[in-house]
Amino acid sequence: MKKITFLLLLITLFNLACKKSSTGGVVDPAPTTPTTDLPSGAKDGVAFTNNGTSAIVTLYAPGKTSVALIGEFNDWSTSATPMKKTADGNTWWVQIDNLNPNTEYAYQFLVDGTLKVADPYAEKLLDPDNDKFISATVYPNLKAYPTGKTTGIVSVMQANQPVYTWKNNNFNRPEKNNLVIYELLVRDFTTEHTYASTLAKLDYLLGLGINAIELMPVNEFEGNLSWGYNTSFYFAPDKYYGTKTALQNFIDECHGKGIAVIMDMVLNHSFGQSPMVQLYFSNGKPTANSPWFNVDAKHPFNVGYDFNHESAATKKFSKDVIKFWMQQYKIDGFRFDLSKGFTQKSSSGDDVFRLYDAGRVAIWKEYNNYIKSIDPNNFYVILEHFAEESEEKVLADDGMMLWNNLNYNMNEATMGWLGNSNFQWGFYTNHGFAKSENLVSYGESHDEERLNLKNISYGNASGSYVIKGNLATSLKREELIAAFLFSIPGPKMIWQFGELGYDVSIDFNGRTGEKPIRWEYFTDPNRKALYDAYAKFIRLKKNNSIFNSTSATYNLANGVKYIKLVEGGNTVVVVGNFDVVSQAANVDFGAAGTWIDAMGANTNLTTNTYTATLAPGEYHIFSKTALK
């Protein structure tokens, strides 16, 4: 035992000697990042304290060796403000003091001594490449980029941001069944491409009768000229369309006019500008230790980098984004882009991708329940899903709404090619849904070729009745299909300028490139007639509950098509000839007597059957009692 004790003593003395420098001093151990719990009040991103003179800045970055905060408050020093790490190694934070609450401060995170990234939770970004193309009219007094101080996109924080004072705090959202949504891309709606210039067109939209606007993605995306699906920062409205308060004012003014605002939200994927992508990225793709992204996309329709929605970090981030826009902007709904992509089941083609996926259903039920916990008052959750019918039924039963694309069959009908012109998929019962309110049907969206472009380019003809190349006839075909679309029970959607027969190809200037803005259409008598017809169909839908009847019969397979709706003592029959030659109509109206035509002259039936020869393109909206 004495020998062992003596040996231990020698080893101890030897180790102590090894810690002496050549000059006899003691060498300090390698510096370590301090670990400490987050202070009270901290949150992801920036939390201001002490009346805005201090800020706790936080970054979730598991597994990183070091993080420093760099910015205007320390003259972009890479060593002045090291961040502390929480004991679990996941979160980095630091408090900075002596701030001016009224000053905007640009800042970034320096990760592992080499990577500079902006704050994923920032509400404003500065872009050295794209901001110079944003005019002072669009975004007044935009902070200058700190040229020469750093590189890459930088975040901006400010304690006393301009605060918007809401005027309309008691907006009642339209019932889902009565929704008429106008899908709108701010970039291509007015030449000024701003919320303010879009707001100036509100009377036009009110005249049309829509009661909801669906904004294509407006949170910060890559570049300026985009559809917005290349999203990189989720809490910042893109500056190319205007300021935060301008967007809030747009929503507020819409509410004041009875119009709901739905936001197109992209949480299937993100792009390389995203700091969340950059933090865990190698060899052209996310790394396996990314808290948020799959290394490779799980499905064939992905663009950018694929979120893993089974990850707790992704779920938390997504919920933070959802809550932020609901509370800070008072939006009325989300249209979730590529919602079918919220899956961890690998597939190489849509034949597998669309099949019932219990994991995907669980993810969407969790998000939907979270949204309802924040706002249970008729908030719209709309999915671009296009999955197996059994899966969509489960989601609909949970209160979610599903996009329903009728473009192909409706366009065949408008062009006068009848073989594939049956658009009965517009009826919710064919999906197995319990309610029509869960099916958002449309003939056009941002993603399809324009109906009237195909009418003019490929329309059928017979004798003197010619659709192809004939604008007046092509527009009347648009009117014909609209009469049927708005007569199908359930919410509807219009793509911008579809009500004027917009006929510039989706591929003009590249699929997602800028398109000509054709407000001159409104002065064209034929196009204005289509707008007026749309307005009348929308008014009929909104003012008469029979257009949401649960009692519907129809035949949409032939040249003469009809829809028959029954509610109480009233019946509505919409009948039209989609052929390019005259056709005989024989439709059981259910009762003899005088039938009122909302679009023309009344007709008197001596039997239950309506019998008439309809000219090509002719249609009627008959009812037993007058419609409002």
Side-chain angles (χ1 to χ4, degrees), residues 170 226 254 258 407 436 456 527:
N170 298 302
S226 172
C254 286
N407 177 264
S436 59
I456 292 171
R527 295 185 186 274

Side-chain angles (χ1 to χ4, degrees), residues 101-370:
N102 299 314
T103 297
E104 288 187 312
Y105 293 94
Y107 69 102
Q108 290 173 311
F109 300 108
L110 177 64
V111 182
D112 289 348
T114 57
L115 176 65
K116 293 178 181 179
V117 294
D119 186 347
Y121 279 76
E123 295 184 38
K124 184 175 179 178
L125 290 310
L126 301 181
D127 185 329
D129 299 319
N130 293 293
D131 286 358
K132 58 192 172 188
F133 300 109
I134 300 175
S135 71
T137 303
V138 173
Y139 201 109
N141 304 312
L142 177 58
K143 181 178 175 64
Y145 183 85
T147 304
K149 298 290 187 178
T150 190
T151 57
I153 291 177
V154 303
S155 335
V156 175
M157 62 176 168
Q158 181 184 9
N160 293 345
Q161 295 182 40
V163 176
Y164 181 77
T165 302
W166 294 84
K167 299 185 292 288
N168 299 287
N169 294 306
N170 298 302
F171 175 62
N172 291 316
R173 296 171 182 137
E175 292 299 319
K176 292 176 181 177
N177 245 338
N178 254 7
L179 270 183
V180 180
I181 303 167
Y182 195 87
E183 188 187 15
L184 188 152
L185 174 59
V186 176
R187 185 197 70 187
D188 292 346
F189 194 60
T190 67
T191 54
E192 300 87 350
H193 59 77
T194 65
Y195 303 118
S197 60
T198 302
L199 202 55
K201 299 294 186 182
L202 210 54
D203 285 345
Y204 169 89
L205 296 175
L206 287 168
L208 185 60
I210 60 97
N211 54 18
I213 292 173
E214 180 180 305
L215 293 173
M216 285 176 69
V218 298
N219 35 9
E220 189 77 35
F221 45 77
E222 300 201 350
N224 290 326
L225 305 178
S226 172
W227 275 3
Y229 296 105
N230 51 344
T231 305
S232 295
F233 291 89
Y234 289 82
F235 297 87
D238 197 285
K239 301 186 300 297
Y240 192 67
Y241 299 151
T243 65
K244 172 182 179 177
T245 52
L247 176 53
Q248 290 170 323
N249 180 66
F250 175 84
I251 296 167
D252 197 14
E253 292 295 329
C254 286
H255 286 173
K257 300 291 187 180
I259 296 175
V261 179
I262 298 165
M263 182 180 179
D264 201 336
M265 178 57 70
V266 186
L267 284 169
N268 170 76
H269 55 264
S270 198
F271 273 68
Q273 189 172 274
S274 164
M276 297 160 64
V277 171
Q278 292 180 42
L279 280 166
Y280 303 89
F281 196 80
S282 180
N283 298 319
K285 59 178 66 176
T287 55
N289 63 336
S290 171
W292 304 286
F293 296 98
N294 291 311
V295 175
D296 295 298
K298 297 295 182 181
H299 60 89
F301 293 97
N302 189 72
V303 293
Y305 303 103
D306 187 33
F307 272 114
N308 172 6
H309 280 277
E310 290 185 359
S311 161
T314 299
K315 287 183 178 181
K316 180 194 180 300
F317 178 78
S318 298
K319 289 175 182 178
D320 286 348
V321 171
I322 287 166
K323 184 178 182 179
F324 174 81
W325 287 94
M326 292 177 72
Q327 294 185 338
Q328 295 296 314
Y329 289 83
K330 297 184 185 290
I331 64 160
D332 303 294
F334 292 112
R335 177 266 188 191
F336 286 100
D337 180 64
L338 196 47
S339 58
K340 188 167 61 175
F342 288 39
T343 179
Q344 286 301 104
K345 182 184 292 185
S346 296
S347 58
S348 58
D350 197 46
D351 55 336
V352 175
F353 184 34
R354 72 182 304 274
L355 297 179
Y356 189 97
D357 182 343
R360 184 166 56 204
V361 168
I363 288 166
W364 275 112
K365 282 190 172 185
E366 180 176 342
Y367 286 144
N368 192 43
N369 288 335
Y370 180 73

Side-chain angles (χ1 to χ4, degrees), residues 69-77 106-108:
L69 187 66
I70 61 175
E72 291 177 320
F73 38 78
N74 61 15
D75 198 27
W76 301 94
S77 168
Y107 69 102
Q108 290 173 311

Side-chain angles (χ1 to χ4, degrees), residues 491-551:
K492 298 293 173 283
M493 189 181 76
I494 307 166
W495 166 242
Q496 66 182 29
F497 300 130
E499 72 282 0
L500 293 173
Y502 190 81
D503 48 30
V504 177
S505 173
I506 192 173
D507 293 318
F508 177 89
N509 194 28
R511 184 176 179 85
T512 62
E514 289 179 285
K515 301 297 186 285
I517 298 167
R518 296 281 171 80
W519 280 103
E520 68 273 17
Y521 279 177
F522 196 55
T523 62
D524 180 296
N526 289 317
R527 295 185 186 274
K528 178 60 163 59
L530 179 59
Y531 171 95
D532 291 339
Y534 262 75
K536 185 159 192 174
F537 302 148
I538 292 169
R539 187 179 74 248
L540 291 173
K541 172 180 175 51
K542 287 164 46 181
N543 291 348
N544 299 274
S545 60
I546 193 169
F547 287 100
N548 286 319
S549 171
T550 57
S551 176

